[in-house]
Amino acid sequence: MSYIHFDKTQLINLNYSLDREIIRTNRSGTYTSTTIIGCNTRKYHGLLVVPQPQIDSQNHVMLSTVHETVIQHGASFHLGISKFPGNYFPRGHKYLEDFDSEPIPKLTYRVGGVVLQKELILDTNRDRVMIRYTLLDAHSPTKIQIQPFLAFRGYHSLCKENEAINKGFTKAPSGVKFQLYPEYDPLFLQISKKNEFVSKPDWYHNVEYIQERERGYDYQEDLFVPGYFEFEITKGESVIFSAGLTEADPKTRENAFQKEISRRIPRNNFENCLKNSAGQFIRKRDGDTRIIAGYPWFGWWGRDTFIAAPGLTLSNGDTDTFLDIMDTMSRDLKGPLFPNIGSGDFTNMTSIDAPLWFFWTLQQYIVYTGDKKTIKDRYLEKLRGIIEGYKKGTTYNIHMMENGLIWGGQKDVALTWMDAITPDGPVTPRIGCPVEIQALWYNALLFFHELSREEEYANLAAQVKDSFDREFWDWDNGYLADVVDGAEKDWSIRPNMLFATSLPYTMLSEEKNDMILEMVKSKLLTTRGLRSLSPDDPGYKGYYFGNQISRDNAYHNGTVWAWLLGHFVEGYLKLHGKAAKNFVQKIIKGFDGVMTQYGIGTVAEIYDGDPPHRPKGSVSQAWSVAELLRMMDLVNRI
């Protein structure tokens, strides 16, 4: 039995199987995602979800799903499954025997004497998904029908029956080509052997996505089914169905499929699952290399990119990709600010911390490689521009005060990583001097001094240290204020103070670091990460659920974040050294169980603040995976 495996009793239990999702990406931003039984529960699910840059900057669901039918002795057995109002139809999951994730998603169906295996893989370099059907056993002539469900819509939206659709198709080698709307790329549906395409265009109405209903969004859509493919298959034979934006050669599909398998890292243990997942966040397209913050619905984010890049690339020895990401991001720098979301014409610059995380991520490159010269040659002037921009002041009132600390914020804008906004405004506005911004600022100043040897930055850092200690520390409380704004100080116990203990350059004594880390350990640490607010706080919310407003109010008010563990562990190891090794290893090992929950073989964005800390948010988050990999490296270096 492989590391990730589900048996029949688990698969036929919809309460169990529909809560477990797979996500696979290629290296150009295309992905395939569904549940382990192939029933889509989100509008973001689809067998082929691809960028359509000629339309907009988001992904688009081209092929939503396929329903297969096995035919023997004139009897039809439907293997597909979709949710419709009041029922699931067809209920093909009842024929499932097992699910295996090694080395690619593999489902095995048993229908009478027929045993059919279905494997799914993406083309690494093309916008194409391939499904291989292998008839493992059969005692009489067998046919298979494949019914494609087409969407051709942005992944944040839903499709409804319309008159604008082009129901026509053209022939392609061993298949057909569809272009439902003129602004879209055509979709090539092809099969690796001789087949018949039976045109039978129809709309399937009110396909339901139960996760969208639970999240308070529209959850029903109409999907266009143009007909079906039919072919004969013999015992031991494999046939490949291909769906892509470019025409494929049906004769080479088996070789192409095997070549893709050979590229995969086996998902045969916890660490290899993380490494596989890490590679899935890297997107190389049109000369840019970026990190997708999370799947299925995130794009690229500046803050997330800098925090996640070391764990996703350097921990795997991939320094070239790391530098490609830094070069791409550097081109987006506007004044002293990086985009919080997007790039080019689609940018949102509301991030006070992303530019300061840029310093930290470059420091990590030096930690892993010892190569300070590359960083200095490529990025020194970019770093200078950020520091000088913060000193002079920039948008959103981000500026250095006379005491050297960084102040920022304005009404209706959330500048820190705690950035949830409802119709009432930012949930945690944190206007003033947030604690982690000062820690990052101090670290940035001393790192720049390390590279440039210009004493004025060391002198400024000394001033920041004095001001920070005076304004943020309180011996009676025994920890740091979360935000300081003049005489007003927020003493909420949040994880933001821990960055003052973890960064390469820190301002506090060992005694203070110890008190902070013990406070975080006591109030915030869970088996899945750190709570964003102490349970003792009246504003604490232990469960992340409901519509968007309800979820946003909990997002940074108790919800657990796995990525924060990286900096907790780093601060803890700096303080305790080898004595902390077993403690940290236990934290890491605790995540072994999540590989078969929620996002299979990966780590979720967030978890409930209250036990049992159920996974929530995106099923696969870049900085969650990255920081676990970096934590492993930190332990190995002890």
Side-chain angles (χ1 to χ4, degrees):
M1 185 181 297
S2 64
Y3 177 67
I4 295 178
H5 178 269
F6 301 102
D7 62 27
K8 184 177 184 67
T9 58
Q10 294 167 322
L11 295 169
I12 65 175
N13 179 356
L14 294 182
N15 289 330
Y16 181 92
S17 56
L18 293 181
D19 279 345
R20 285 158 173 81
E21 305 173 41
I22 55 172
I23 176 78
R24 296 290 185 271
T25 80
N26 67 7
R27 297 305 177 263
S28 62
T30 292
Y31 75 81
T32 183
S33 184
T34 184
T35 60
I36 58 174
I37 61 171
C39 180
N40 292 345
T41 59
R42 302 182 189 275
K43 60 188 174 187
Y44 301 99
H45 282 163
L47 290 178
L48 188 67
V49 186
V50 300
Q52 289 287 273
Q54 74 277 15
I55 299 177
D56 53 33
S57 60
Q58 67 176 320
N59 283 327
H60 290 253
V61 181
M62 304 291 277
L63 176 63
S64 177
T65 189
V66 295
H67 284 182
E68 303 91 352
T69 300
V70 172
I71 302 173
Q72 269 197 342
H73 303 298
S76 297
F77 303 90
H78 303 294
L79 307 186
I81 177 171
S82 291
K83 175 72 169 66
F84 294 92
N87 70 303
Y88 289 88
F89 179 83
R91 299 179 66 84
H93 67 297
K94 66 186 178 184
Y95 300 117
L96 279 168
E97 289 290 302
D98 63 42
F99 172 99
D100 203 320
S101 188
E102 174 57 29
I104 58 175
K106 183 188 303 180
L107 287 166
T108 303
Y109 296 86
R110 183 181 293 275
V111 183
V114 172
V115 180
L116 182 70
Q117 181 177 279
K118 175 182 176 180
E119 300 168 279
L120 179 72
I121 203 165
L122 277 172
D123 191 314
T124 300
N125 300 311
R126 297 172 183 83
D127 300 318
R128 180 180 296 138
V129 65
M130 293 181 284
I131 304 174
R132 181 166 68 180
Y133 300 93
T134 302
L135 191 62
L136 299 178
D137 198 9
H139 304 297
S140 52
T142 306
K143 288 183 179 181
I144 293 180
Q145 292 179 353
I146 299 177
Q147 193 178 35
F149 285 65
L150 307 183
F152 279 69
R153 47 96 173 158
Y155 72 161
H156 292 307
S157 58
L158 291 169
C159 178
K160 297 294 182 181
E161 180 176 359
N162 61 84
E163 297 298 322
I165 190 173
N166 173 20
K167 296 182 180 180
F169 63 91
T170 57
K171 289 286 186 179
S174 291
V176 291
K177 178 178 76 172
F178 290 94
Q179 190 171 12
L180 300 191
Y181 308 101
E183 64 270 26
Y184 276 88
D185 285 331
L187 178 65
F188 293 83
L189 305 178
Q190 299 170 271
I191 293 176
S192 63
K193 69 173 293 182
K194 184 178 179 181
N195 67 90
E196 179 185 8
F197 176 71
V198 178
S199 178
K200 196 176 179 181
D202 196 9
W203 286 93
Y204 279 59
H205 297 100
N206 299 322
V207 176
E208 293 188 349
Y209 303 118
I210 59 175
Q211 291 288 348
E212 303 307 323
R213 180 180 62 196
E214 185 176 310
R215 287 160 54 84
Y217 299 128
D218 291 339
Y219 61 93
Q220 292 182 333
E221 82 167 330
D222 305 332
L223 292 171
F224 178 65
V225 179
Y228 59 88
F229 298 90
E230 183 175 282
F231 55 88
E232 295 180 348
I233 187 169
T234 59
K235 183 178 177 179
E237 183 182 13
S238 292
V239 178
I240 295 173
F241 170 82
S242 167
L245 301 190
T246 55
E247 183 180 295
D249 182 354
K251 298 177 182 178
T252 65
R253 288 307 85 202
E254 182 62 35
N255 285 338
F257 201 97
Q258 286 300 131
K259 184 178 180 181
E260 287 299 329
I261 289 179
S262 70
R263 290 174 167 169
R264 300 306 190 262
I265 301 171
R267 286 180 170 84
N268 54 7
N269 59 48
F270 174 64
E271 185 174 359
N272 279 348
C273 281
L274 290 181
K275 288 180 177 179
N276 261 294
S277 184
Q280 294 195 150
F281 298 107
I282 308 299
R283 169 182 164 163
K284 299 183 179 183
R285 200 178 187 100
D286 301 326
D288 285 350
T289 304
R290 298 191 180 277
I291 290 174
I292 301 300
Y295 284 101
W297 53 74
F298 282 98
W300 58 82
W301 291 56
R303 174 190 300 116
D304 298 52
T305 292
F306 295 134
I307 293 171
L312 298 184
T313 61
L314 299 178
S315 66
N316 292 324
D318 190 357
T319 56
D320 289 343
T321 297
F322 176 88
L323 293 173
D324 288 344
I325 293 166
M326 295 304 109
D327 288 345
T328 297
M329 291 300 296
S330 293
R331 292 196 291 272
D332 289 336
L333 188 64
K334 292 184 178 179
L337 297 180
F338 285 102
N340 187 31
I341 307 171
S343 68
D345 295 330
F346 305 97
T347 56
N348 176 334
M349 309 299 286
T350 54
S351 177
I352 190 174
D353 53 341
L356 302 178
W357 280 113
F358 183 47
F359 290 77
W360 175 84
T361 204
L362 296 180
Q363 287 172 293
Q364 298 308 301
Y365 176 86
I366 296 172
V367 168
Y368 277 89
T369 67
D371 178 13
K372 190 181 296 186
K373 184 178 185 302
T374 295
I375 299 303
K376 184 175 180 179
D377 291 348
R378 285 191 173 187
Y379 308 114
L380 183 67
E381 293 311 310
K382 298 281 187 182
L383 299 177
R384 184 191 304 277
I386 293 169
I387 289 176
E388 293 304 317
Y390 273 54
K391 287 169 64 178
K392 295 174 183 176
T394 184
T395 54
Y396 306 113
N397 293 321
I398 299 170
H399 66 278
M400 186 181 77
M401 301 193 302
E402 288 185 6
N403 63 6
L405 301 180
I406 299 297
W407 194 101
Q410 67 181 52
K411 186 181 178 183
D412 299 328
V413 177
L415 294 177
T416 71
W417 78 278
M418 292 187 163
D419 55 1
I421 297 178
T422 70
D424 294 328
V427 178
T428 50
R430 305 185 74 222
I431 294 173
C433 297
V435 62
E436 77 276 20
I437 303 307
Q438 316 315 314
L440 287 162
W441 173 238
Y442 177 80
N443 179 69
L445 291 171
L446 285 185
F447 179 52
F448 188 78
H449 171 257
E450 176 188 333
L451 294 178
S452 69
R453 311 314 302 174
E454 298 174 29
E455 286 303 315
E456 65 176 285
Y457 298 99
N459 294 335
L460 178 55
Q463 181 190 7
V464 171
K465 180 177 180 178
D466 290 341
S467 299
F468 182 79
D469 190 63
R470 183 173 58 253
E471 297 293 336
F472 282 84
W473 180 259
D474 180 80
W475 282 108
D476 292 334
N477 286 320
Y479 62 93
L480 296 167
D482 189 62
V483 182
V484 172
D485 186 14
E488 294 185 17
K489 299 184 180 184
D490 179 1
W491 291 102
S492 302
I493 299 175
R494 296 185 179 275
N496 304 306
M497 67 177 108
L498 72 85
F499 298 106
T501 75
S502 67
L503 296 172
Y505 291 105
T506 59
M507 294 180 272
L508 301 177
S509 66
E510 285 192 359
E511 181 183 10
K512 291 177 180 177
N513 283 342
D514 187 35
M515 293 174 73
I516 291 168
L517 289 165
E518 288 304 312
M519 178 66 73
V520 169
K521 182 179 176 183
S522 170
K523 300 295 184 181
L524 306 180
L525 180 63
T526 75
T527 56
R528 294 291 176 262
L530 298 186
R531 295 184 179 98
S532 43
L533 183 64
S534 168
D536 297 337
D537 194 288
Y540 173 80
K541 299 184 184 303
Y543 294 97
Y544 179 87
F545 71 100
N547 61 24
Q548 184 161 351
I549 293 176
S550 173
R551 287 181 281 114
D552 282 346
N553 278 317
Y555 205 37
H556 300 108
N557 282 322
T559 296
V560 168
W561 294 77
W563 78 272
L564 294 169
L565 279 174
H567 285 271
F568 172 75
V569 162
E570 188 159 23
Y572 209 84
L573 288 172
K574 284 170 66 175
L575 190 65
H576 297 287
K578 288 183 179 180
K581 190 170 183 178
N582 288 339
F583 171 67
V584 172
Q585 286 176 325
K586 185 178 179 181
I587 291 174
I588 296 169
K589 186 172 176 55
F591 277 84
D592 186 78
V594 310
M595 296 294 101
T596 54
Q597 300 171 357
Y598 205 50
I600 303 306
T602 187
V603 186
E605 175 191 9
I606 52 177
Y607 296 82
D608 281 335
D610 284 353
H613 308 298
R614 291 185 177 89
K616 300 290 177 68
S618 78
V619 301
S620 183
Q621 196 75 2
W623 58 13
S624 299
V625 172
E627 285 297 82
L628 275 168
L629 285 167
R630 197 172 70 85
M631 285 161 62
M632 290 179 177
D633 282 347
L634 288 169
V635 170
N636 290 336
R637 287 196 218 118
I638 290 293

